Structure formats: C-alpha cells, structure tokens
Amino acid sequence: RLLNGRGITFAEPDSIVSLSSGLGRHWPDARGVYASDSGSIWAWVNEEDHLRLFAGNEGSDLHAAFDRLCSAEAAISFAVHQAGHRFACSQRFGYLAANPLNAGTSMQARVSLKLPLLCWQPDFRSLCGKLKLQVYQGHGCPGIWHVTNVERFGTSEAQQVDCVVKGCRELVDHELRLEQASQPATPPSLSILEQIASSTRRFAEEPGLGANEYPGFPTNECPDDMPDISANFSVMTDVLKKDPSTYHRYKTMTTRSGVSFAKVIKPGMDVKGHAMIKTTGMVAGDEECYNVFS
C-alpha cells in the first residue's frame, strides 16, 4: 500500500505486444520492487527487463536524480561483478534490453511538465520531435505531459539527460509566451472514465499471464512456410517483406539457452500494427539474440 501510494509499483502487462512477448508469463512470480525509505530511488525486478533502476526528484533538478541513479548503478554493477556476473552489454549495441528499441544506454530521462496551452497547439508534437523528445499525457491529468528522451543509441547518458533538460526549458518558454499572449487554443471537451478493476484476479488463468505462452504464433519453432504478413506492420515484418529468405535462414535457429527465432518474432506476428505507428515486432529473449539473429 505504501509503494502504491508513492506510485512506484508496476502492474501486470495488458497490451497484446507485451503478452505476446512473454513478459507476463507466471505472473506475479519472481517480480518485486525494492525502494529506499525516502522513496527517492527504487528498483523493479523482472517487470520487462531483469532490472530497472529509478531515481526520482521533486522539482526541476534532473541532474541530481541522474547523479543518484549513477551512484546506485555503480554500486550494483560492482556487486554483480564481485559475484562473477555482468550486465548484458556489447561493443556494437551497448547495453541490451528485452525491447531492442531500448538498446544503447537503456536509459530514459523523464520530466513531468504542465503544458495546458502548448499541448493544444497544432505543432506541439512536431516541436517535441525537433527537440529529440517524446511526450505522452499523464493518465487522468489534463495538461500534464511526461517528456522523455528519444535517443538511446549513439549518445552518452549525460548527453541524453542534457537533451531533456534543454528541451524542457524550451517547452516551458513556449508555454510562458502563450500565457502572456492570452490566446490559448480551445481544448475539446474531455470525459474521464474511471475504470475499476477487480482486486481478485486469477493471473494463472489469463492468456499470457500464466505458465503458457500467449496464444497465436508458436514459440517453439516457426512454420515451414512464412505466414502472410502483408497486413502486418513493424520493423521486423518490414525486414521479412523485403527479404523473405531471412525467415527461412533463421527459422530453425535457437540461442544456446533455447530462445528460438519463432519466440523473437512472435510479437510482430501476433500484432498487426499500423503502417504509421510501428513497433519493433521483436523481443530479445536473451543476450545472445542480438548476435544470433542480427
């Protein structure tokens, strides 16, 4: 209850992409949250990746949160090394994650901003794109937007934090200019629907949350013939459409720990997607996937 009150817990996955990727298997076994007494730093265990570290900070000092995160990561990395292990990392891709989009630094710097006027401007999202930022609205919080870095690959963690800091300053400047002009765009009427979920769910009986894989494309081995993916849209299906021989080259291959090509491409096979909003359509079941199926 205390962790929920701080907003630092996580819930079972509910999107088809996550379930098809196997992120909900055996829910909630082996999942957990470790948090400091102050609530300024916490860790998620086996939510999507094996470990996710968070550092929060009230106010505008993003660098203070970043410094605290670096200290925690260094301490954990030392302990992992002392135990004879290491974080999954490669010279080519950087730090590795279950979602290939997060490879690189695997870091997300997020700032919550109140932008009640700017968010209704027609060029709001294009402005964020130019600043190399991604934005999404806070759930049930009109006017509150979460701002994060787009880049994970090709720049350092410090550079990505600086990008968010500079971008947020510019967004706030735009918001202040709109306030001074007193000519805000008129927001459409919004209706907030409260969704009350049952507190007694049997996860083991729900598709993708129990011991079995999410129904759909198999995970043990690929069919001999590549399925029709003409109506599927993802990075993965784009590759297979361009060169179908890729499917036949990898369809029988697995990593040493048993992750099959079928498992890797299952999310993009199960979810049709949209031509204008593409996911990777893949999931990395282990570190070796990045080499075996590259």
Side-chain angles (χ1 to χ4, degrees):
R1 184 178 300 176
L2 178 60
L3 295 178
N4 280 328
R6 292 176 177 176
I8 59 177
T9 55
F10 58 89
E12 70 282 356
D14 56 5
S15 74
I16 295 178
V17 171
S18 296
L19 294 172
S20 183
S21 298
L23 302 182
R25 293 283 303 282
H26 299 285
W27 196 274
D29 294 350
R31 275 85 172 182
V33 178
Y34 292 87
S36 64
D37 291 337
S38 65
S40 61
I41 191 162
W42 64 97
W44 286 359
V45 178
N46 290 332
E47 178 256 355
E48 178 175 304
D49 291 301
H50 290 155
L51 176 68
R52 281 192 178 186
L53 285 175
F54 297 82
N57 203 61
E58 293 290 338
S60 59
D61 195 350
L62 183 59
H63 286 107
F66 178 58
D67 290 343
R68 191 161 56 252
L69 181 70
C70 289
S71 297
E73 188 276 336
I76 294 174
S77 183
F78 177 78
V80 169
H81 181 75
Q82 289 292 98
H85 304 289
R86 61 179 179 82
F87 289 129
C89 187
S90 77
Q91 292 183 344
R92 182 181 180 187
F93 298 112
Y95 287 102
L96 307 180
N99 185 345
L101 280 179
N102 291 330
T105 63
S106 295
M107 188 197 72
Q108 181 186 83
R110 190 184 80 176
V111 175
S112 298
L113 296 177
K114 190 174 183 180
L115 304 169
L117 306 182
L118 181 59
C119 68
W120 298 113
Q121 303 304 310
D123 61 345
F124 173 52
R125 290 191 179 274
S126 63
L127 170 63
C128 294
K130 292 176 182 177
L131 296 173
K132 297 182 180 180
L133 301 175
Q134 182 180 6
V135 294
Y136 56 97
Q137 193 167 14
H139 180 67
C141 303
I144 302 296
W145 290 80
H146 300 310
V147 184
T148 70
N149 52 303
V150 171
E151 292 184 343
R152 307 279 197 280
F153 200 79
T155 55
S156 70
E157 292 89 343
Q159 289 172 321
Q160 291 169 16
V161 170
D162 287 341
C163 177
V164 173
V165 170
K166 294 175 182 177
C168 286
R169 286 174 181 165
E170 185 159 342
L171 293 178
V172 171
D173 286 342
H174 278 275
E175 180 70 23
L176 292 175
R177 285 196 290 270
L178 287 172
E179 284 185 6
Q180 294 170 359
S182 299
Q183 293 180 347
T186 303
S189 58
L190 299 175
S191 61
I192 301 176
L193 302 179
E194 293 184 358
Q195 299 181 348
I196 304 175
S198 171
S199 59
T200 56
R201 294 177 57 186
R202 296 182 178 179
F203 294 114
E205 299 176 4
E206 297 188 30
L209 295 179
N212 298 322
E213 294 280 1
Y214 188 80
F217 193 76
T219 57
N220 54 342
E221 61 181 16
C222 293
D224 287 338
D225 296 325
M226 185 173 74
D228 179 13
I229 55 173
S230 58
N232 291 48
F233 299 96
S234 68
V235 175
M236 181 275 295
T237 53
D238 283 351
V239 171
L240 295 186
K241 289 175 186 177
K242 184 178 181 180
D243 183 10
S245 68
T246 302
Y247 177 87
H248 298 286
R249 186 164 64 251
Y250 289 120
K251 67 180 182 181
T252 60
M253 296 178 64
T254 63
T255 66
R256 284 174 293 181
S257 62
V259 179
S260 64
F261 183 61
K263 174 64 177 176
V264 171
I265 65 175
K266 178 177 172 63
M269 291 296 188
D270 287 346
V271 182
K272 295 293 185 182
H274 191 282
M276 300 301 293
I277 308 174
K278 294 183 181 180
T279 65
T280 59
M282 300 175 284
V283 60
D286 61 17
E287 178 181 357
E288 195 179 351
C289 288
Y290 281 88
N291 293 322
V292 174
F293 306 116
S294 63

